[in-house]
Amino acid sequence: MASRDDIKFLNNPTIGRKRKKYCRFKKYGIKYIDYKDSEFLLQFINEQGKLLPRRITGNSLKYQKLVAVAVKRARHLAILPYVADLLK
């Protein structure tokens, strides 16, 4: 029987494999989401200014709610736009 090292693949076998999503807040121990940090909050909104869902960002329910509140506060203070054309 040939071992895995002896087998030559035509393409990389890890290409079709998806990485597991994780909550970056739990992983790095972030407890507070600052609504004044617009660069950080831009990671959670798309080009039109809409919030990205949990299934895309990988956030847990608790932190997705905190991100939503922080984005809404930043919008209210005009740090982030409500609607944008090609924000990123």
Side-chain angles (χ1 to χ4, degrees), residues 5-41:
D5 297 330
D6 296 337
I7 299 173
K8 302 294 182 195
F9 294 100
L10 294 176
N11 55 3
N12 192 350
T14 61
I15 288 177
R17 203 178 294 169
K18 292 186 180 183
R19 289 193 285 154
K20 183 157 173 59
K21 292 179 191 153
Y22 61 92
C23 180
R24 72 183 81 193
F25 300 103
K26 286 183 180 178
K27 183 175 182 180
Y28 298 117
I30 300 172
K31 299 289 183 195
Y32 177 72
I33 301 170
D34 189 15
Y35 64 91
K36 296 176 288 254
D37 189 5
S38 63
E39 295 298 321
F40 181 70
L41 293 176

Side-chain angles (χ1 to χ4, degrees), residues 53-66:
R54 286 180 56 208
R55 68 176 187 271
I56 295 175
T57 60
N59 293 338
S60 64
L61 179 63
K62 174 184 173 181
Y63 289 106
Q64 182 70 17
K65 287 179 182 180
L66 293 175

